[in-house]
Amino acid sequence: MTLVLVIPFDNGVVLASDGQVTMGLIKTRAKKIKKFSENCALGASGDLPFIQLVENELISLSEKEKGLCNLRWNLCNKVKASIEKLPPSPQPYSGSFVFVEHKENITHILNIRENGLSVMLENVPFATGIGEQFAYTLLQKYQDLIPDKINAKLAMMLAYKIISETIETISIGVGPPVDIWQLPPVKNLTKNELAGVEETYLILKKAEIEMFLRGPK
Amino acid sequence: MTLTKKDWLLLLLKQSPLDRIHIMKALFLIWHRTGRKIEDYFVFEPYLYGPCSFEVYSVLESMEVDGWIVQPPHPMPQWVNYYLTESGKKESEEAVKRASPETLRLIEIMSEEVSQISFYELLRKVYTEAPDFAVNSMFKEVIK
């Protein structure tokens, strides 16, 4: 299921996800964002067997540093070819793959669906997975600030807030822990850095409530 | 003898159970009010909510693994106080022996001061006393 979120900022981009994987009746935790190359990170939502198959196919890909614009059709073909390798299933396999790179002050977001269809976006927030509509709703009031008016720390904070509020609201398909990556260069936040962002989020939440209560009566 | 980072946390929690935000700010105020000169202490940086030492999180986690501190179950564990366990209390008694009377008095005053105020008042206190550590705060314009 999953929620993967992309938030560009003034000189880079943040990629975040929830951390829950569902296998039948069992919930467990897994990382949903990975390093694709030195300049590009990959997030995925959908059926785990399909995602893992695609990720294995992508490991063997050559010339990963060529950039998403050059790799786009090759990546689409890899995704499309992967689904044909899976055994038949009563329900069609689903998958949404998000490649994110930041080059020459532009964030490129390439989203490839299970059937190989793709969309390339620049410098806009993006969400995919079961919580995407909820995430876009929460992002709405920040749209005009992205990317130029926010820095890396604010982008991380916003990503954490949106993923957390989605987890707190949606009953199935998403769950803790929140994972955050930043690029360039591709870097996963440490446990301590994540704890710092989490603390800020909790203070913001308390501050919002206190401000509301202190408003005009 | 120099106190370890775990010693500072043991001595603070010996006085009163505190949540993570209050612990962070109490440790900062101890450092700030002693002229910002404590050997082998936590290193603070101006972060999104004011002074923060990321090491506090890992030391707390390590103390939980040691079985010295515990938090009651809660959907938002970050908001819940840390309590010393029985072995934590024994360790804190050992830490008392390593600390000077001035340090113990300072920790006692600080614990009393921060444990009695809301997080909002706590942030205001910290931002007023150390504005150089509020420069990156998301709340500095709100909390005045």
Side-chain angles (χ1 to χ4, degrees):
Chain A
M1 295 302 188
T2 297
L3 174 60
V4 176
L5 182 65
V6 181
I7 299 185
F9 58 88
D10 56 2
N11 60 355
V13 58
V14 160
L15 188 61
S17 79
D18 76 301
Q20 180 181 302
V21 168
T22 313
M23 293 181 294
L25 293 173
I26 307 299
K27 287 193 295 191
T28 185
R29 293 176 170 196
K31 281 207 170 269
K32 300 173 177 184
I33 299 171
K34 293 189 168 64
K35 182 177 177 176
F36 177 67
S37 70
E38 290 307 314
N39 298 306
C40 182
L42 162 66
S45 71
D47 294 316
L48 198 54
F50 178 42
I51 290 169
Q52 290 183 345
L53 186 63
V54 171
E55 284 172 351
N56 282 338
E57 291 287 320
L58 294 176
I59 287 169
S60 61
L61 202 68
S62 60
E63 299 178 307
K64 288 184 195 167
E65 304 297 338
K66 277 171 74 178
L68 288 179
C69 293
N70 294 315
L71 287 171
R72 180 175 180 176
W73 304 115
N74 197 0
L75 293 171
C76 291
N77 288 335
K78 287 275 182 195
V79 171
K80 204 174 161 186
S82 296
I83 207 161
E84 287 160 12
K85 293 181 183 173
L86 289 166
S89 164
Q91 283 198 328
Y93 292 103
S94 75
S96 174
F97 301 88
V98 190
F99 298 81
V100 180
E101 70 176 7
H102 186 84
K103 274 185 173 175
E104 293 159 4
N105 226 19
I106 297 173
T107 295
H108 296 282
I109 303 156
L110 174 62
N111 179 220
I112 306 176
R113 302 298 309 206
E114 61 279 323
N115 54 7
L117 282 177
S118 67
V119 179
M120 181 77 93
L121 301 164
E122 283 183 6
N123 286 345
V124 289
F126 178 81
T128 189
I130 194 167
E132 65 186 38
Q133 287 182 339
F134 196 76
Y136 278 119
T137 307
L138 291 170
L139 266 171
Q140 188 56 41
K141 61 178 174 282
Y142 302 100
Q143 294 273 357
D144 293 343
L145 308 178
I146 299 169
D148 297 333
K149 291 180 184 165
I150 61 169
N151 60 22
K153 284 179 177 169
L154 288 176
M156 285 176 208
M157 181 58 232
L158 187 54
Y160 195 97
K161 176 178 162 65
I162 288 167
I163 302 260
S164 287
E165 289 182 355
T166 305
I167 290 171
E168 286 159 23
T169 308
I170 292 183
S171 61
I172 50 160
V174 288
V178 179
D179 189 25
I180 300 181
W181 292 62
Q182 182 192 336
L183 59 149
V186 177
K187 175 187 174 286
N188 193 186
L189 261 64
T190 64
K191 207 172 175 182
N192 283 350
E193 287 169 333
L194 278 168
V197 178
E198 177 186 64
E199 201 89 309
T200 313
Y201 162 66
L202 293 171
I203 295 173
L204 179 63
K205 201 167 169 172
K206 283 190 176 188
E208 282 174 355
I209 294 166
E210 290 214 23
M211 276 170 59
F212 178 73
L213 292 174
R214 283 166 186 234
K217 297 274 187 329
Chain B
M1 186 186 282
T2 308
L3 294 175
T4 65
K5 288 168 183 142
K6 285 185 180 179
D7 284 340
W8 285 101
L9 282 161
L10 285 167
L11 293 171
L12 191 60
L13 293 173
K14 185 176 185 297
Q15 294 297 323
S16 169
L18 294 170
D19 66 23
R20 219 161 65 173
I21 296 170
H22 283 78
I23 289 171
M24 184 71 78
K25 300 310 180 198
L27 289 170
F28 172 77
L29 286 173
I30 288 170
W31 175 73
H32 173 70
R33 290 186 189 172
T34 48
R36 300 185 175 186
K37 285 176 194 163
I38 302 178
E39 214 177 313
D40 295 332
Y41 199 66
F42 298 96
V43 176
F44 289 91
E45 62 175 272
Y47 191 59
L48 291 168
Y49 61 82
C52 168
S53 170
F54 291 113
E55 208 179 354
V56 171
Y57 303 128
S58 47
V59 175
L60 282 170
E61 195 178 329
S62 169
M63 289 170 71
E64 274 188 295
V65 173
D66 292 338
W68 295 355
I69 56 172
V70 70
Q71 282 180 296
H74 190 276
M76 297 293 261
Q78 302 83 356
W79 290 0
V80 182
N81 287 343
Y82 285 93
Y83 293 82
L84 290 180
T85 60
E86 283 309 310
S87 62
K89 284 176 189 165
K90 282 180 195 161
E91 290 294 333
S92 72
E93 292 303 331
E94 293 302 312
V96 168
K97 293 176 193 167
R98 293 189 284 273
S100 67
E102 297 77 30
T103 300
L104 292 175
R105 181 69 189 135
L106 175 68
I107 292 171
E108 189 184 334
I109 292 167
M110 195 57 65
S111 168
E112 199 172 318
E113 194 174 323
V114 304
S115 63
Q116 289 173 2
I117 54 177
S118 72
F119 101 99
Y120 201 92
E121 296 304 325
L122 181 61
L123 288 191
R124 179 149 58 196
K125 183 188 281 286
V126 171
Y127 293 1
T128 307
E129 282 194 35
D132 54 328
F133 274 84
V135 288
N136 293 330
S137 170
M138 295 176 68
F139 315 105
K140 63 177 184 286
E141 297 303 323
V142 179
I143 297 176
K144 279 186 172 172

